[in-house]
Amino acid sequence: ETGVTQSPTHLIKTRGQQVTLRCSSQSGHNTVSWYQQALGQGPQFIFQYYREEENGRGNFPPRFSGLQFPNYSSELNVNALELDDSALYLCASSPWEMDEQYFGPGTRLTVT
Amino acid sequence: QKEVEQNSGPLSVPEGAIASLNCTYSDRGSQSFFWYRQYSGKSPELIMFIYSNGDKEDGRFTAQLNKASQYVSLLIRDSQPSDSATYLCAGELNNNDMRFGAGTRLTVKP
């Protein structure tokens, strides 16, 4: 167990809808990163938040957005869901920017 | 070209053997490298990280980094059936972007 928690565990949404995923970082960690993992692939970096500011972003469109709160927990929001957004969404926390990251259990999103 | 590449496997080794997992990267600016283990249906678990050229050992695991050749490897000594999993190599690009390979599936046969 890493101490990183995510909710919900599973989620089913319809194309065009919006979704919010949540993550609580490990105690003492001020950096949270979000990843999308499609089946059979490695995680793809969506973005990172450090001290409530976006601190890096991968090749994802603006309909993927996020927030980090003063307690370092974080949200990932996805608007206008597409079928290809179906994946495992992983949150990882680290004590400092791109230091070693510890993953939460993930949220499995299915878009129908 | 993918930033981080791994042989997808599957790699099969007998119990007690050394498993060798390899990874190459294309961004010479990458500073830090990480090895994660991922069991089926679970999230990645950090095994080791390495920042400097050379070897880094932790128990049965040894990570090797060669920045001149842009090559990272993970050796698992005395492989156990419980080591059977997908192993993910990741490298940090300069813009706080972490890139993962697609993973190598390892099977350790009793």
Side-chain angles (χ1 to χ4, degrees):
Chain A
E1 296 290 328
T2 62
V4 181
T5 61
Q6 292 186 244
S7 62
T9 304
H10 297 90
L11 201 54
I12 299 174
K13 288 286 189 178
T14 302
R15 188 172 51 184
Q17 287 188 315
Q18 177 265 342
V19 69
T20 297
L21 309 182
R22 294 179 174 82
C23 170
S24 291
S25 60
Q26 186 169 318
S27 177
H29 287 186
N30 58 18
T31 303
V32 172
S33 301
W34 285 92
Y35 295 85
Q36 180 195 68
Q37 188 176 25
L39 204 60
Q41 300 296 316
Q44 282 195 286
F45 176 67
I46 302 175
F47 44 57
Q48 181 186 82
Y49 277 84
Y50 170 64
R51 293 185 176 178
E52 302 177 57
E53 297 287 333
E54 188 177 288
N55 189 44
R57 189 178 182 95
N59 295 325
F60 280 81
R63 60 189 185 86
F64 285 79
S65 63
L67 282 174
Q68 187 180 31
F69 300 99
N71 66 355
Y72 303 127
S73 66
S74 179
E75 288 182 353
L76 164 65
N77 299 291
V78 187
N79 293 323
L81 283 167
E82 301 177 358
L83 296 179
D84 285 349
D85 294 334
S86 296
L88 179 67
Y89 287 84
L90 295 161
C91 162
S93 75
S94 55
W96 183 261
E97 290 188 296
M98 277 299 180
D99 207 343
E100 59 268 26
Q101 300 183 357
Y102 298 89
F103 283 88
T107 294
R108 174 73 61 186
L109 173 65
T110 302
V111 182
T112 63
Chain B
Q1 182 184 6
K2 294 182 180 178
E3 287 86 358
V4 177
E5 296 207 48
Q6 296 181 253
N7 186 327
S8 62
L11 173 66
S12 181
V13 301
E15 184 175 355
I18 296 175
S20 177
L21 303 160
N22 305 313
C23 172
T24 58
Y25 61 95
S26 59
D27 185 345
R28 285 196 172 273
S30 298
Q31 299 295 317
S32 311
F33 299 90
F34 305 83
W35 282 100
Y36 286 85
R37 176 174 62 196
Q38 187 171 27
Y39 293 112
S40 181
K42 301 293 186 182
S43 62
E45 171 192 5
L46 180 66
I47 300 174
M48 292 189 69
F49 56 91
I50 185 166
Y51 303 141
S52 304
N53 273 326
D55 295 1
K56 180 180 179 182
E57 187 174 319
D58 184 0
R60 295 187 296 113
F61 299 95
T62 299
Q64 299 173 317
L65 173 60
N66 184 325
K67 291 189 176 182
S69 301
Q70 297 177 245
Y71 179 87
V72 191
S73 66
L74 179 70
L75 300 178
I76 307 174
R77 289 182 299 280
D78 188 24
S79 295
Q80 302 296 310
S82 59
D83 294 326
S84 298
T86 296
Y87 288 79
L88 298 164
C89 170
E92 176 202 346
L93 305 184
N94 276 335
N95 60 343
N96 286 341
D97 185 346
M98 182 83 85
R99 295 298 173 102
F100 281 79
T104 298
R105 185 180 302 175
L106 171 67
T107 300
V108 180
K109 296 187 175 180

